Amino acid sequence: KNDIVLIDYITLNRERGMSIRRAVIDGGRSRLRPVVMTTLTTILGMVPMAVGSGQGAEMWRPMGTAVNGGLDSAYVALRASALLRVRRQRSEENSSQTPRTTL
């Protein structure tokens, strides 16, 4: 969900006339901080569950590990989706420009 919000904001900035680089930087600056804060607090909150010991820990440890792994991969996907968006936009801009020939 978080990467959709970020990509949507980048697209909105592009429609407003920003360059792709500026749109990604602005989108990351305004949308990435809340996403990172939410993700990190959830991951850190699940660490005791993932590494805990004591009565019932064998039941909760797999869930804590799975939640942390899922959030870690979602965060990496968020960062990668923004980078892929920039590369795709650049390649579209480069292919739309026709080469100039001089006589």
Side-chain angles (χ1 to χ4, degrees):
K1 178 182 177 192
N2 292 327
D3 57 342
I4 294 171
V5 171
L6 179 63
I7 296 298
D8 186 46
Y9 192 68
I10 291 170
T11 303
L12 178 67
N13 285 340
R14 290 288 294 150
E15 290 171 357
R16 291 179 178 167
M18 286 186 184
S19 69
I20 184 65
R21 182 177 171 86
R22 188 75 230 155
V24 170
I25 290 171
D26 189 50
R29 195 174 281 153
S30 66
R31 299 285 190 236
L32 201 58
R33 182 176 171 210
V35 169
V36 170
M37 288 174 56
T38 304
T39 303
L40 287 179
T41 55
T42 306
I43 289 171
L44 293 174
M46 289 289 171
V47 166
M49 186 184 292
V51 298
S53 61
Q55 189 173 12
E58 64 276 357
M59 182 175 71
W60 293 106
R61 191 173 296 129
M63 184 174 75
T65 304
V67 169
N68 276 338
L71 287 172
D72 290 343
S73 63
Y75 177 70
V76 170
L78 171 69
R79 299 294 298 223
S81 66
L83 292 174
L84 290 174
R85 172 78 175 176
V86 170
R87 285 189 175 188
R88 188 182 69 161
Q89 189 71 32
R90 281 186 183 167
S91 68
E92 287 175 1
E93 288 174 358
N94 289 339
S95 66
S96 68
Q97 295 175 353
T98 57
R100 298 178 190 171
T101 56
T102 58
L103 298 175

